Amino acid sequence: RAAISLDAERTMNLYVEGAQSRGARNPEGALLPTPGFAAWSTGTTDVGTRALSVANGRLFGVIGGGFYEFSSTGVATRHGTVAQDSNPAQLGYNGTVGGQLGIASGGSLYSFALATNTFAGPHFGAVTTTMLNFADGYGLAFAQGTGRVYLSSLNDFTTWSAGTFFQRSKFPDPWQTMFVDANGLIWMIGTETFEVWYNTGTGTQPW
């Protein structure tokens, strides 16, 4: 590829096919279009993919304001409607014990029972949550506005209590996001510092 100072042209979606004949007019080859893409699924009525996740071998997604499931051949089934904003949605699976998928979208929480294909929500009333995660049997819903992490009932994404949460008190900078690592530790990231929370195994709020 030539330097930009020498040649500012850019080739997109083309590839070089070398000449097969010695007598070709252009021995360097020709630019041919790359193979196209075939649509895998076109059955959604909403637009804008905001989340995708696999739970127990099944593919789910949030597209626009719709919660969908996709078969192995791309057939889409719309299971429910979720709140929508400009942020991505999040999906969390509480495993084979809980058998539920949690959906965080537009500041609200929803749930989907895999065994019965039952979509429910929004849960949690007026509490606005921005992120959803899962650790040690508990759903974890982060409300960035208050800096609280709310806990679901054990192995149950349908039941949340506004009084069951943990909140930062060690450092002054507010939490901005959270993630759960492979060891089940909850990493809470602030604007300047971070904390790592672990399950003590005791109390209604064990973290």
Side-chain angles (χ1 to χ4, degrees), residues 62-100:
V62 177
I63 301 177
F67 172 66
Y68 288 88
E69 180 177 0
F70 299 90
S71 71
S72 59
T73 57
V75 176
T77 301
R78 195 179 196 276
H79 288 298
T81 300
V82 298
Q84 182 179 0
D85 57 18
S86 59
N87 298 315
Q90 287 195 321
L91 301 174
Y93 177 47
N94 62 6
T96 55
V97 176
Q100 298 166 328

Side-chain angles (χ1 to χ4, degrees), residues 94 97-102 111 123 134 137-140 151-161:
N94 62 6
V97 176
Q100 298 166 328
L101 194 69
S111 63
H123 304 298
F134 174 77
Y138 293 95
L140 306 168
L151 276 64
S152 74
S153 294
L154 195 62
N155 298 310
D156 185 7
F157 276 145
T158 67
T159 306
W160 302 78
S161 170

Side-chain angles (χ1 to χ4, degrees), residues 39-52 59-71 74-80:
W40 177 69
S41 178
T42 58
T44 60
T45 57
D46 301 275
V47 295
T49 302
R50 301 172 52 233
L52 284 173
L59 177 62
F60 299 92
V62 177
I63 301 177
F67 172 66
Y68 288 88
E69 180 177 0
F70 299 90
S71 71
V75 176
T77 301
R78 195 179 196 276
H79 288 298

Side-chain angles (χ1 to χ4, degrees), residues 42 50-51 141 160 181 198 204 207:
T42 58
R50 301 172 52 233
W160 302 78
D181 67 17
Y198 69 96
T204 304
W207 299 93

